[in-house]
């Protein structure tokens, strides 16, 4: 499995969410038909900072070997995040099937990353081929 690609894609995904939640929480709340107040704006910005920081972690580790015993904390943190959020989204979709298409798309993305990081965590990294 190409861990550099997975780490890069997950970093970009988290950067995107982080930037949106940090700099445009009012627009997201309006889109979700939620009442923007000071507390929800602060919470969305804090969550945005968490996503951005997690994206930074993945971006900084994209070129390092990940899997097995290598960078295990990074792989475990990603697996935990994507699987817990994916299961929460799945629970929400099962309880209310008329949720917007964006929630379905997030569920697919989160499940895909969760499976990928599960494979990364429990498999020894494949060494890169050298053409020397």
């Amino acid at each position: 499995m190409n861990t550099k690609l997975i780490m890069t894609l997950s970093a970009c995904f988290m950067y995107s969410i982080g930037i949106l939640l940090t700099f445009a929480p009012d627009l997201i709340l309006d889109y979700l038909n939620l009442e923007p107040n000071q507390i929800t704006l602060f919470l969305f910005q804090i969550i945005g900072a968490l996503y951005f920081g997690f994206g930074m972690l993945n971006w900084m580790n994209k070129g390092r070997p990940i899997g097995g015993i290598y960078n295990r904390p990074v792989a475990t943190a990603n697996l935990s995040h994507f699987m817990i959020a994916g299961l929460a989204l799945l629970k929400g979709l099962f309880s209310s099937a008329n949720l917007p298409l964006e929630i379905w798309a997030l569920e697919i993305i989160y499940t895909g990353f969760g499976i990928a990081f599960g494979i990364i965590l429990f498999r020894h990294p494949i060494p890169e081929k050298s053409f020397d």
Side-chain angles (χ1 to χ4, degrees), residues 94-116:
F94 279 142
S95 65
S96 179
N98 60 351
L99 288 172
L101 187 61
E102 291 84 0
I103 303 298
W104 286 93
L106 277 176
E107 167 56 29
I108 292 167
I109 292 169
Y110 268 92
T111 301
F113 278 130
I115 291 168

Side-chain angles (χ1 to χ4, degrees), residues 66-69 71-72 75-76 79 116-124:
I66 297 176
I69 62 169
N71 281 316
R72 195 165 186 81
T76 303
L79 174 65
F117 280 109
I119 292 169
I120 289 170
L121 180 66
F122 295 109
R123 198 182 268 180
H124 192 71

Side-chain angles (χ1 to χ4, degrees), residues 7-9 11-12 15 54-63:
M7 294 299 283
T8 302
L9 290 174
C12 292
Y15 280 149
F54 214 147
M56 185 66 70
L57 175 75
N58 285 353
W59 185 262
M60 299 299 283
N61 281 294
K62 72 181 186 306

Side-chain angles (χ1 to χ4, degrees), residues 26-44:
D26 50 342
L27 297 176
I28 294 171
L29 287 168
D30 286 341
Y31 181 77
L32 297 172
N33 295 324
L34 298 172
E35 183 65 33
N37 59 42
Q38 205 63 30
I39 298 297
T40 55
L41 289 173
F42 285 146
L43 288 175
F44 270 43

Side-chain angles (χ1 to χ4, degrees), residues 51 79-91 107 110:
Y51 268 94
L79 174 65
S80 299
H81 170 75
F82 284 112
M83 286 307 295
I84 291 168
L87 290 172
L89 286 167
L90 190 62
K91 179 182 175 187
E107 167 56 29
Y110 268 92

